[in-house]
Amino acid sequence: MKSPNPHSEAANAAEPFQGRRVVLCVTGGIAAYKAAYLTRGLVRAGAQVSVVMTEAAQRFVGPLTFETLSGNRVVTSTFERVYETGPVEHVDLAERTDLVVVAPATYNFLGKLCAGIADDAVTTFISAVVCPVLVAPAMNEHMWRNPINQRNVGALHALGYHFVDPERGGLACSWEGEGRMAEPETILAAARELLHPGPKTLPSPARSSLSGLTVLVTAAGTWEAIDPVRFVGNRSSGRMGYALAAAAARRGAQVLLVSGPSALEIPAGLLSSRRVESAAEMLQACRDWLPRADILLMAAAVADYRPRQVAENKIKRSRAAMQLDLEATPDVLAELRPLKESRLFVGFALETAADPGPAAQAKLRDKGLDLVVANRVGADTGPEQRTNQVWIWNAEGLVEATPVLDKQVVAEIVLDAVENAWAKRRTPAGA
């Protein structure tokens, strides 16, 4: 499903859509009206656009709208031929397509796609495509978070389908929540990235050695209470851990995420997630889930100290100085080390020194880690930045050093190192 279309080699490098055939699949949701704007955006970018619609989609927007905007006849039935002669329509169109975009993608569509059901124009067409497929879900928040739907999304991620996750906002059901289809501009940007010439940063999940493994990821910082409204803790957005969890799920892993406080949405496609606040709660969650895991990615920024006593009521402000009596929090990696057994442990080390190597390597030895990922606090790197620069060590030395990259790309590089480490542990000596 992921091989490029041979007809697209002459595409303009400056505008990936130029001369490319994009098929927009529209399924039956109220967000179908946004697909009209998406069609216009694709055409303006230079794409040759064809539209395939389900019967339900036609109840929201008529085929004539898309025919007018795209300049092409719309496919609305598995049996109806757009052209009177020639090959079967859905097979012929599939072979001539560079990218498929499904927007909106309903709960029903995701379930049928995951199950391999082809009983309408859209699912039958997609069953024959050999190009990338970008899916933009749209549904009620409870439907999006339904465990069956999340299982389906995770399975489709593992098969290599690409997603533009829904946004939080006003829904057609008058609720406020997550499930609203991403805006056409966001979908266009994701589609442009998939068509951009050159090597992709994301691997093919179907070939990942993480497929079928259970990966436990910790993310974000911890908050250690001073009183009911104040805390001490480490700065962390959670972006690195969330990017690792999402990337591992795309590679087919069963992902368990333990997250400290974070404003980020839990990534789609995970096996399960748990939000915690303190270091003690994070330790307990990891103890609960580690027996199920093959790999631990300890990306959380766990606070090293906590107040020895927590005030029952809010401490009133005064002009007098206040002193906090602090004690060490549980060292999560050290506490989990007796449970390591055959599991792969990966730690993270945030440093302010110009050379994070010595401290990171010491952590590797002291905590009994298989890999340690070091990063530095800098103008474009560190806890609350969208980008990062990392150095990855194992017991033999430096494995990888990156420039400053988006944290999603860094996550892929870290997981490549994890896969290599996992493969080496399972390769017989002398093989």
Side-chain angles (χ1 to χ4, degrees), residues 18-372:
Q18 191 67 41
R20 302 289 189 96
R21 178 169 294 280
V22 178
V23 174
L24 175 62
C25 294
V26 186
T27 66
I30 187 64
Y33 81 91
K34 288 186 178 180
Y37 295 98
L38 181 57
T39 303
R40 184 172 63 181
L42 288 165
V43 171
R44 286 180 172 177
Q48 300 173 16
V49 182
S50 295
V51 178
V52 182
M53 301 180 72
T54 63
E55 182 178 350
Q58 298 169 59
R59 292 175 176 265
F60 294 93
V61 182
L64 182 59
T65 298
F66 292 104
E67 183 176 329
T68 303
L69 291 170
S70 69
N72 291 309
R73 292 280 301 276
V74 175
V75 179
T76 58
S77 169
T78 305
F79 305 102
E80 178 186 4
R81 287 184 179 273
V82 174
Y83 306 103
E84 293 184 0
T85 60
V88 178
E89 179 63 31
H90 69 272
V91 174
D92 179 52
L93 184 59
E95 290 179 346
R96 295 184 291 111
T97 299
D98 296 291
L99 176 68
V100 175
V101 179
V102 187
T106 62
Y107 179 100
N108 181 62
F109 165 77
L110 293 175
K112 290 199 294 186
L113 183 63
C114 189
I117 296 172
D119 63 353
D120 58 34
V122 169
T123 53
T124 302
F125 164 70
I126 290 180
S127 71
V129 301
V130 294
C131 65
V133 178
L134 179 65
V135 182
M139 63 197 72
N140 171 272
E141 181 177 30
H142 292 328
M143 297 172 71
W144 172 245
R145 286 297 170 190
N146 183 297
I148 296 174
N149 186 64
Q150 289 298 303
R151 180 198 64 192
N152 291 340
V153 170
L156 293 170
H157 268 300
L159 289 171
Y161 289 90
H162 304 271
F163 278 78
V164 181
D165 285 346
E167 299 173 349
R168 179 171 293 276
L171 305 175
C173 56
S174 300
W175 290 12
E176 184 82 15
E178 186 181 16
R180 185 175 68 181
M181 189 178 86
E183 292 302 314
E185 294 80 6
T186 303
I187 300 171
L188 275 171
R192 182 175 281 108
E193 177 64 25
L194 286 176
L195 284 177
H196 201 280
K200 298 293 185 291
T201 57
L202 300 183
S204 171
R207 295 193 294 269
S208 173
S209 61
L210 295 184
S211 182
L213 298 180
T214 299
V215 178
L216 173 57
V217 182
T218 67
T222 64
W223 292 354
E224 311 299 330
I226 298 172
D227 62 22
V229 298
R230 299 183 180 91
F231 62 88
V232 293
N234 285 347
R235 293 181 179 180
S236 176
S237 65
R239 284 194 181 93
M240 191 70 254
Y242 279 50
L244 286 165
R250 284 195 297 269
R251 296 185 183 213
Q254 300 293 308
V255 179
L256 302 168
L257 174 65
V258 178
S259 174
S262 173
L264 301 177
E265 295 292 336
I266 298 294
L270 307 190
L271 180 62
S272 191
S273 63
R274 185 183 300 182
R275 290 191 182 273
V276 299
E277 184 167 297
S278 68
E281 291 172 351
M282 182 164 284
L283 174 58
Q284 186 56 55
C286 289
R287 279 177 172 158
D288 292 342
W289 277 353
L290 189 60
R292 303 166 59 183
D294 301 292
I295 297 170
L296 170 66
L297 303 179
M298 192 70 195
V302 182
D304 295 312
Y305 297 95
R306 65 187 177 193
R308 191 176 297 276
Q309 291 187 338
V310 179
E312 293 184 2
N313 299 305
K314 178 183 176 182
I315 301 171
K316 298 299 181 181
R317 178 186 176 92
S318 71
R319 294 183 178 275
M322 184 180 74
Q323 292 184 337
L324 288 177
D325 184 14
L326 300 178
E327 65 181 5
T329 59
D331 185 330
V332 177
L333 273 174
E335 294 285 344
L336 295 178
R337 186 172 182 178
L339 304 176
K340 185 174 186 296
E341 299 175 347
S342 61
R343 298 178 179 88
L344 189 78
F345 273 28
V346 181
F348 285 69
L350 177 63
E351 302 296 334
T352 55
D355 180 8
Q361 291 172 298
K363 185 171 186 176
L364 179 85
R365 294 188 300 270
D366 296 344
K367 303 295 174 67
L369 301 175
D370 298 282
L371 293 172
V372 64

